[in-house]
Amino acid sequence: MSSRLVLVINCGSSSIKFALRREGDSQPLLSGLAEQLESPSACLHWKAGNEKHRRDLPGADHQSALAALLPLIGAHAGQPLSAVGHRVVHGGEHFTGASLIDDQVLQAIEASAPLAPLHNPANLVGIRAAMQVFDQVPHTAIFDTAFHQSMPVHAFRYALPDNLYRDQGVRRYGFHGTSHRYVSRQASLMLGKPAGSGAWLTAHLGNGCSSCAILDDRSQDTSMGLTPLEGLVMGTRSGDVDPNLYAHLYRELGWDIPRIENLLNRESGLLGLSGLSNDMRTLEQAREQGHAGAILAIEVFCYRLARSLAGLTAALPRLDGLVFTGGIGENSALIREKTVEHLPVIGLRLDPQSNRQLPRGQAGQIQQPGSPSILVIPTDEERQIADESLALLDAPSA
Ligand code: ADP
């Protein structure tokens, strides 16, 4: 029997990211992006091996963009799909793992929409369109929040009146779960442990950033909360601020809620601190040239990350290692070095030479002898989604 194929889909409000994966392969057969959907400049980009392609799809909506994928998949797959795996941002408390999508699951995703108003409705549009286009195949949903459903109550509750949790679902959910799970599993394999065993701190550092404490494949605590704004400094998101900032800005400046939401989500983080950019590469270059804002942004980013990681050790019985991932974690030796400099108290010591010499895009170990492992592991959320989708189909109850 040839190995199975999974199409992984991540739908935004005007875009669809996709990857066609063969079971067991480290690289996708086909991957790409349909963007600017429902506009005259809608188009489809895809990559197969080293070849890049582009096709204009003026005015295409999610369904017609997915229909345009059908012949591409036919050309590259050579066999029917076994599943379509969808990334869904918020699963509320309904979902602790991958789920086969049926009417009940669609309703539950809809019910979680108030918790992720920008993401869940877009994910649903994509799921419904894909179910029409790929109507002979099981569809699965893998939720960013599901991995963190193992957090104990003392980690997921806010110190707020109980009814806000009971009636409104106000609690900490956490995000980036697929990435945290993938890299912690890879970390155990790299150190020769059984897959999914060990006590890890993971730092997913992309445009959004979050940290996580993981024990034996179960999230114990994470830096993001009710929404992906809580926690670390990010590209344009502030991460933690005093919750009274809302009242302060309202009283002092007369700002309304949308204005403050925009400030905290789109004008803050690395961009706000540096006054220059949300892009770490740009900030590293500017830092070299002595740009004060870039220097400050990098210092705050690393200190706040280190503080979060040190705090998360409270959720672990011991520490086997720290994993860096995401665009910044995988590529920035500077950020890794400056972050670990703040962490000698938890025994972490980085080897500057192996840190700087680690080739981009490759996994490796960068600790000094005697330190818990410090690992760099490229994340692969699509692979994790494909694996979880197939594991779900293999499960006895599927
Ligand atoms: P997303 O969260 O959108 O998936 P990525 O994981 O691709 O984002 O991460 C984007 C971030 O990674 C940007 O801040 C970018 O500057 C940073 N990054 C990518 N390559 C490098 C590099 N070589 N050095 C420093 N930062 C990098």
Side-chain angles (χ1 to χ4, degrees):
M1 193 180 80
S2 61
S3 43
R4 295 172 292 180
L5 291 175
V6 181
L7 177 65
V8 178
I9 293 181
N10 181 357
C11 253
S13 55
S14 63
S15 70
I16 305 172
K17 276 193 209 159
F18 60 90
L20 178 65
R21 306 211 52 120
R22 189 182 293 285
E23 189 173 15
D25 283 3
S26 59
Q27 296 300 321
L29 290 171
L30 183 74
S31 63
L33 172 72
E35 60 182 349
Q36 294 181 274
L37 296 175
E38 299 191 35
S39 85
S41 34
C43 69
L44 180 67
H45 306 263
W46 73 96
K47 200 174 139 196
N50 288 326
E51 282 177 37
K52 290 185 178 168
H53 306 267
R54 178 199 155 101
R55 201 175 124 200
D56 289 327
L57 299 171
D61 60 6
H62 287 76
Q63 195 159 334
S64 41
L66 287 165
L69 272 183
L70 269 175
L72 285 183
I73 291 170
H76 289 87
Q79 71 188 75
L81 292 175
S82 291
V84 179
H86 296 267
R87 178 184 175 196
V88 184
V89 167
H90 217 304
E93 289 187 323
H94 302 280
F95 300 103
T96 55
S99 302
L100 266 182
I101 301 178
D102 56 17
D103 283 346
Q104 253 182 327
V105 171
L106 288 173
Q107 276 167 23
I109 298 172
E110 215 156 6
S112 299
L115 295 166
L118 296 179
H119 295 105
N120 272 32
N123 294 151
L124 269 177
V125 168
I127 291 172
R128 292 207 164 101
M131 288 177 90
Q132 301 264 333
V133 174
F134 303 97
D135 58 353
Q136 303 296 315
V137 185
H139 288 249
T140 60
I142 283 78
F143 298 88
D144 271 19
T145 50
F147 180 52
H148 302 297
Q149 281 296 305
S150 51
M151 285 195 287
V153 65
H154 60 254
F156 77 68
R157 284 293 298 272
Y158 291 113
L160 292 169
D162 196 54
N163 63 327
L164 279 178
Y165 168 58
R166 303 270 162 229
D167 303 341
Q168 304 296 323
V170 175
R171 53 158 283 180
R172 306 184 63 250
Y173 291 95
F175 299 86
H176 293 144
T178 309
S179 177
H180 289 297
R181 169 173 267 161
Y182 176 79
V183 297
S184 63
R185 285 187 177 177
Q186 292 298 114
S188 48
L189 294 176
M190 271 173 79
L191 298 193
K193 294 169 177 287
S197 66
W200 307 104
L201 292 173
T202 52
H204 176 104
L205 310 174
N207 283 308
C209 300
S210 68
S211 50
C212 188
I214 301 164
L215 181 63
D216 296 338
D217 208 26
R218 291 168 67 80
S219 170
Q220 302 297 309
D221 198 356
T222 187
S223 59
M224 284 177 168
L226 175 73
T227 75
L229 180 59
E230 186 175 331
L232 306 178
V233 175
M234 312 184 209
T236 61
R237 286 175 243 164
S238 62
D240 291 339
V241 291
D242 186 330
N244 259 334
L245 182 63
Y246 267 83
H248 179 78
L249 293 175
Y250 166 71
R251 274 196 304 265
E252 296 301 312
L253 300 174
W255 288 10
D256 61 9
I257 287 175
R259 176 76 190 85
I260 303 171
E261 268 190 316
N262 196 55
L263 169 88
L264 297 176
N265 284 286
R266 296 195 185 81
E267 299 172 355
S268 297
L270 294 172
L271 174 66
L273 275 166
S274 68
L276 179 67
S277 172
N278 64 326
D279 190 296
M280 192 56 92
R281 273 166 300 199
T282 308
L283 295 181
E284 286 194 24
Q285 283 160 12
R287 177 182 174 274
E288 290 289 307
Q289 289 150 14
H291 187 285
I295 294 170
L296 175 69
I298 287 174
E299 294 300 323
V300 176
F301 182 92
C302 295
Y303 173 69
R304 288 269 300 272
L305 170 59
R307 200 177 70 162
S308 167
L309 292 168
L312 285 171
T313 61
L316 296 175
R318 61 176 195 282
L319 181 60
D320 292 327
L322 163 64
V323 183
F324 286 100
T325 193
I328 298 172
E330 291 162 28
N331 294 299
S332 176
L334 176 76
I335 297 300
R336 297 192 297 253
E337 185 170 332
K338 291 188 79 60
T339 302
V340 176
E341 268 172 16
H342 292 295
L343 293 169
V345 172
I346 58 169
L348 288 169
R349 286 189 313 280
L350 181 141
D351 177 51
Q353 209 175 349
S354 40
N355 181 39
R356 270 183 239 122
Q357 286 172 354
L358 187 71
R360 293 231 166 100
Q362 278 190 25
Q365 298 197 36
I366 55 171
Q367 74 279 0
Q368 284 180 28
S371 163
S373 300
I374 306 177
L375 305 170
V376 179
I377 301 180
T379 195
D380 193 339
E381 291 162 281
E382 281 104 12
R383 185 174 180 181
Q384 183 66 28
I385 290 173
D387 288 352
E388 288 188 37
S389 300
L390 291 174
L392 180 68
L393 297 185
D394 294 338
S397 56

